[in-house]
Amino acid sequence: QVQLVESGGGLVQPGGSLRLSCAVSGSIFRIYTMGWYRQAPGKERELVATSGGTTTYADFVKGRFTISTDNANNTVYLQMNSLKPEDTAVYYCNANIRVTYWSSNKIYWGQGTQVTVSS
């Protein structure tokens, strides 16, 4: 069974940094893309960054956040610098995965990790 396991959230002061990790567990054939989304209270889930072929960032994190992947370990990271209170949200990783050669691609989500930026 494929699972995405996140870690690295927490409480940080404005201007601080955090690094989120998301590891894919289970037997898979191939990962096509991995990415990070976030959802603040009362708001819809929004894209933060994606990686896989091309790397994309939401405008509100450009220059502050960096997405990277460890393909050998099926892990994606999100390095978050210069954090602002408005970055407070639950951060979710997702991955576009084909479990077997014969199966169709499917989107999987992590359980979410809370990031709180506050003094």
Side-chain angles (χ1 to χ4, degrees), residues 29-43:
F29 172 67
R30 183 177 176 181
I31 299 173
Y32 289 84
T33 62
M34 299 190 79
W36 291 94
Y37 289 70
R38 72 185 188 185
Q39 187 167 19
K43 295 187 176 181

Side-chain angles (χ1 to χ4, degrees), residues 6 18 32 41 55 60 62 78 109:
E6 303 168 7
L18 282 175
Y32 289 84
T55 299
F60 53 77
K62 284 182 179 178
L78 186 68
W109 290 91

Side-chain angles (χ1 to χ4, degrees), residues 8-20 38 40-41 61 64-65 80-91 113-119:
L11 173 64
V12 63
Q13 292 186 342
S17 299
L18 282 175
R19 188 191 196 206
L20 306 182
R38 72 185 188 185
V61 302
R64 300 189 298 124
F65 292 9
M80 305 184 294
N81 299 327
S82 302
L83 283 160
K84 305 175 182 179
E86 51 264 43
D87 293 318
T88 296
V90 178
Y91 284 70
T113 185
Q114 177 70 45
V115 172
T116 302
V117 185
S118 175
S119 56

Side-chain angles (χ1 to χ4, degrees), residues 64-100:
R64 300 189 298 124
F65 292 9
T66 303
I67 188 171
S68 61
T69 57
D70 178 351
N71 295 328
N73 293 298
N74 295 334
T75 300
V76 63
Y77 303 96
L78 186 68
Q79 178 66 44
M80 305 184 294
N81 299 327
S82 302
L83 283 160
K84 305 175 182 179
E86 51 264 43
D87 293 318
T88 296
V90 178
Y91 284 70
Y92 298 89
C93 70
N94 86 342
N96 184 341
I97 297 173
R98 182 176 295 186
V99 176
T100 70

